[in-house]
Amino acid sequence: MKLKEFFEEHPRVAIAFSGGVDSAYLLYAAKLYAKEVCAYYVKTAFQPQFELEDAMRLAKELDAKVRIISLDVLANAEVASNPKNRCYFCKKCIFSAIIKEAAADGFTDLLDGTNASDDADDRPGMKALQELSVYSPLRICGLPKSEIRMLSKEAGLFTWDKPAYACLATRIPAGTVIEKRLLERTELAEDFLFSLGFTDFRVRTVGEMAKLQLIAKDIPLFVENRSKILDRLKEHYASVCLDLEVRDEHRD
């Protein structure tokens, strides 16, 4: 099935919109082929401010209707307790909120940006999407991440080369209760690294220590800015360490 054919079968759609590569291209395709579309961005403590800014920028460039839903996910005990399948409870909470708002706006078909490269067996959040009958057109149409990036570039979307970015909660190890302060200091730390030119990295929480995970090509940039990074991060963490198991990209 092609995306055009999907939207012929589903002409009026709501889209769970994060501002990332996949949902951005999905919104672009919906604007191209659907008769009516509305994007829904759910603002929680798990999303950094730049994600909202990217989402709103793209929606403006596409002249797409977008609604922002504010949601206190930490009020959900199953999410805040941070079990290994936290993503299942979080997705259920977030997508249930979108479904409610979308239904009030007259939309019955909700779509998300899951693509054909995503491993369903390793993503508990996908179980929640299946239970809530959420469509994943990029996956249905067999589009992998690499092709979505290529198509996004051809379409002129600024998100085409945006690094993969998982929510702030993924920086906190399973079993550690998620507190707002842990999320806030993670966002502050990652914002600082972004300001230094890092683009694909994680600042993970290990007790009161920050563990930096960088991609291999950014190690020289770290060495160059080591003192700055230590000074800034130790305002919020007791200590800072560098994970030497560097990788080419981050997927979580």
Side-chain angles (χ1 to χ4, degrees):
M1 175 180 280
K2 302 293 184 182
L3 281 175
K4 185 174 184 295
E5 295 170 336
F6 176 88
F7 286 110
E8 286 173 351
E9 294 182 9
H10 305 274
R12 300 185 69 258
V13 296
I15 292 179
F17 182 50
S18 69
V21 178
D22 300 321
S23 65
Y25 183 71
L26 182 61
L27 181 58
Y28 164 80
K31 284 289 293 180
L32 198 61
Y33 300 124
K35 290 185 178 178
E36 186 177 0
V37 56
C38 183
Y40 294 81
Y41 182 96
V42 180
K43 182 175 175 55
T44 76
F46 290 175
Q47 279 73 43
Q49 180 63 24
F50 80 83
E51 288 281 59
L52 174 58
E53 292 170 359
D54 282 356
M56 297 307 292
R57 174 186 167 188
L58 188 80
K60 183 177 180 180
E61 290 181 2
L62 295 178
D63 191 26
K65 180 181 177 182
V66 59
R67 288 194 58 184
I68 299 173
I69 302 171
S70 294
L71 185 65
D72 182 6
V73 287
L74 293 180
N76 184 313
E78 291 173 314
V79 175
S81 63
N82 199 19
K84 288 184 177 179
N85 62 340
R86 179 205 69 252
C87 193
Y88 167 79
F89 297 110
C90 189
K91 289 283 189 185
K92 196 123 187 194
C93 182
I94 287 174
F95 278 78
S96 293
I98 297 176
I99 287 170
K100 181 179 179 181
E101 293 293 328
D105 293 336
F107 294 96
T108 56
D109 289 347
L110 175 59
L111 321 181
D112 91 307
T114 302
N115 66 60
S117 301
D118 292 328
D119 185 357
D121 294 332
D122 192 38
R123 294 182 180 240
M126 286 192 184
K127 180 182 177 185
L129 303 185
Q130 292 166 359
E131 291 177 358
L132 294 171
S133 299
V134 176
Y135 292 100
S136 301
L138 302 178
R139 189 175 180 84
I140 291 170
C141 296
L143 293 173
K145 191 80 166 190
S146 57
E147 188 171 349
I148 293 166
R149 287 191 184 280
M150 180 190 70
L151 292 170
S152 296
K153 185 176 183 180
E154 292 175 355
L157 305 183
F158 74 87
T159 52
W160 77 270
D161 64 345
K162 186 175 179 179
Y165 190 88
C167 81
L168 294 171
T170 62
R171 315 300 194 265
I172 301 170
T176 299
V177 175
I178 301 175
E179 301 173 8
K180 191 173 181 180
R181 74 172 184 91
L182 300 181
L183 300 170
E184 289 175 341
R185 75 176 182 181
T186 299
E187 183 173 1
L188 286 169
E190 295 196 346
D191 279 349
F192 180 66
L193 264 66
F194 276 124
S195 75
L196 294 176
F198 294 92
T199 57
D200 191 2
F201 62 90
R202 302 288 184 263
V203 179
R204 299 199 186 277
T205 291
V206 182
E208 290 302 313
M209 179 178 71
K211 182 169 75 171
L212 276 58
Q213 293 182 327
L214 311 176
I215 55 176
K217 73 177 183 66
D218 283 343
I219 294 298
L221 184 61
F222 169 80
V223 173
E224 178 186 343
N225 291 278
R226 175 180 172 276
S227 295
K228 291 180 183 177
I229 293 170
L230 286 175
D231 289 345
R232 179 60 66 87
L233 267 59
K234 289 185 76 171
E235 293 177 7
H236 307 285
Y237 297 87
S239 59
V240 181
C241 78
L242 175 64
D243 185 348
L244 292 179
E245 294 185 14
V246 294
R247 60 221 72 205
D248 294 325
E249 67 174 348
H250 295 279
R251 294 184 58 84
D252 65 341

